[in-house]
Amino acid sequence: MGEDIKISVIIKTYNEQAGIAKTITSIRDNLSNYSHEIIVADSLSSDDTQAIALEHGAKVATLVNGDERCCGVGHQLGYLHAQGEFLLLMDGDMELAPGFIEQGIAYLDTHRDYAGVAGMVEMDDAQSYEFKSRKQRIHKIYPVGDTSHLGGGGLYRRSAIEKIGYLTNRNLHAYEEAELGMRLKHAGYKLHRLAVPYFSHTSYDMSSIELMKYRWRSGYLFASGELLKSAWGKPHFKDALLVVKNEAVFTLYLFLVAISILTFHIKIISIALLPLVAFFALKAIKNRSFRDALQSVVNLSVFSAGLIRGLSCRLKDPNQAPDNRLIKGEQQ
């Protein structure tokens, strides 16, 4: 570990040329009182993300093989080259909020049994169904106080990560923070979300259907199955099952509906479809929108298909480093 580096900031990116400069600038503005390094962990972007990052004084750790791309590989890639006592995890479309670092460091310094902290999240006004739904539930997704995981990134104690072997699972196309939280929990650590702003976030500017297509192509929707498969036989399997319980329950339900249809018995089929009709009705009443209710059913169906697809994915050893290279700009 580098004795002169207090904080290693790891920014996960893939084609983030529109926001990476703002992300790096917000970090520089808020870490001026701490010795730090900024590592852009890039999944082989095809735009100018890497060049912009280097121009702004960051190091770039990049994948060599584009087939390795996934959410879990990004921060792990940066961790391989990090030297700081603390690890600050961010994405290339985020801006660090003033004051978080000071309070985060102070909390971890006085609570040695905590492995990491995060803060409150601010989201923009994206119009897709998923992001509107997420914004409605933002306090449930990012609850203040002790929590099972730090969704959206956080400030972690490096020594805790070294104890559990790796930072984020290179196999996961999502849920990487949840899986990290599970492993830390079973290693005896706690996590906490402070009642202070952590970052502001820019959402995808896509329609609901476009976003769903993009997430299927990128493998994001396979993550629930990947999480269950990677956790099988490990102490945190039950925790993993709870994280993806909605997809798991709906997948099981769809399986039962399929069996009922094969009976060719109208009464049995009707009974099997009743929970789906009730779910649709409750969603329509709650959101005052038949369209949103239909979108919710479609989303669950696609996520269930993704779970099945994820279970068939071949997993790599998360402790083994992906092929990568480190690029340093002229300022370093």
Side-chain angles (χ1 to χ4, degrees):
M1 183 175 68
E3 294 298 328
D4 59 340
I5 297 179
K6 182 75 171 180
I7 303 171
S8 291
V9 184
I10 305 173
I11 309 170
K12 178 180 64 180
T13 61
Y14 176 60
N15 289 348
E16 297 286 0
Q17 66 176 14
I20 188 62
K22 290 182 179 179
T23 301
I24 294 173
T25 299
S26 72
I27 292 165
R28 296 282 191 212
D29 290 345
N30 289 288
L31 268 67
S32 59
N33 293 329
Y34 299 91
S35 57
H36 65 276
E37 62 179 350
I38 299 177
I39 303 172
V40 170
D42 188 64
S43 291
L44 216 57
S45 290
S46 58
D47 65 4
D48 292 330
T49 297
Q50 292 190 16
I52 295 170
L54 292 169
E55 289 172 2
H56 284 75
K59 303 174 186 176
V60 173
T62 179
L63 290 176
V64 172
N65 185 355
D67 292 339
E68 293 268 17
R69 291 187 188 114
C70 68
C71 291
V73 80
H75 286 136
Q76 176 63 13
L77 174 60
Y79 172 65
L80 297 173
H81 301 280
Q83 302 177 69
E85 178 184 353
F86 294 98
L87 309 169
L88 178 66
L89 309 188
M90 298 190 70
D91 290 356
D93 57 359
M94 298 175 177
E95 292 183 52
L96 184 61
F100 169 74
I101 289 298
E102 289 80 2
Q103 296 200 46
I105 293 289
Y107 191 92
L108 291 177
D109 280 346
T110 55
H111 297 77
R112 303 302 298 180
D113 54 338
Y114 282 75
V117 295
M120 298 183 297
V121 177
E122 296 179 11
M123 293 183 67
D124 60 12
D125 294 318
Q127 294 304 306
S128 70
Y129 169 79
E130 178 179 343
F131 283 104
K132 284 194 295 183
S133 176
R134 182 178 295 185
K135 193 165 186 177
Q136 290 174 350
R137 299 177 292 114
I138 194 165
H139 296 300
K140 292 183 179 180
I141 298 173
Y142 305 111
V144 171
D146 283 4
T147 184
S148 62
H149 67 282
L150 303 177
L155 180 69
Y156 290 89
R157 195 188 309 278
R158 182 190 179 90
S159 59
I161 304 304
E162 290 176 340
K163 183 176 179 179
I164 61 174
Y166 61 90
L167 179 60
T168 50
N169 192 324
R170 61 183 290 205
N171 295 289
L172 301 181
H173 284 82
Y175 298 120
E176 71 277 10
E177 291 121 336
E179 195 259 2
L180 171 57
M182 296 170 201
R183 288 183 290 117
L184 286 168
K185 167 190 168 184
H186 286 278
Y189 289 102
K190 300 176 184 178
L191 297 169
H192 188 84
R193 189 174 297 277
L194 302 168
V196 298
Y198 175 26
F199 66 83
S200 57
H201 179 267
T202 302
S203 306
Y204 287 108
D205 186 19
M206 298 182 187
S207 68
S208 298
I209 298 300
E210 288 173 337
L211 182 60
M212 192 65 68
K213 290 179 180 178
Y214 169 78
R215 287 189 157 172
W216 184 272
R217 290 194 302 268
S218 68
Y220 177 94
L221 295 176
F222 310 157
S224 54
E226 293 167 342
L227 177 63
L228 292 178
K229 188 172 183 177
S230 67
W232 179 254
K234 296 182 175 65
H236 59 273
F237 178 75
K238 289 183 179 179
D239 299 296
L241 191 58
L242 284 174
V243 168
V244 300
K245 63 181 182 299
N246 290 342
E247 296 97 313
V249 169
F250 200 73
T251 300
L252 178 60
Y253 170 69
L254 291 180
F255 178 72
L256 295 176
V257 169
I259 292 177
S260 73
I261 292 174
L262 292 176
T263 67
F264 299 102
H265 196 294
I266 297 299
K267 187 175 181 179
I268 294 176
I269 295 173
S270 299
I271 293 173
L273 290 175
L274 277 177
L276 183 61
V277 174
F279 174 80
F280 179 87
L282 288 173
K283 278 288 183 180
I285 293 171
K286 180 180 179 181
N287 294 343
R288 298 180 180 179
S289 169
F290 282 101
R291 180 179 179 179
D292 282 0
L294 179 60
Q295 185 68 55
S296 184
V297 172
V298 170
N299 281 5
L300 273 173
S301 300
V302 176
F303 270 87
S304 295
L307 184 150
I308 295 171
R309 175 66 176 82
L311 288 172
S312 69
C313 291
R314 183 178 179 181
L315 301 182
K316 309 175 188 71
D317 181 355
N319 289 289
Q320 182 180 355
D323 290 338
N324 69 92
R325 61 192 182 97
L326 184 67
I327 307 171
K328 296 183 180 181
E330 295 180 0
Q331 300 179 41
Q332 294 146 22

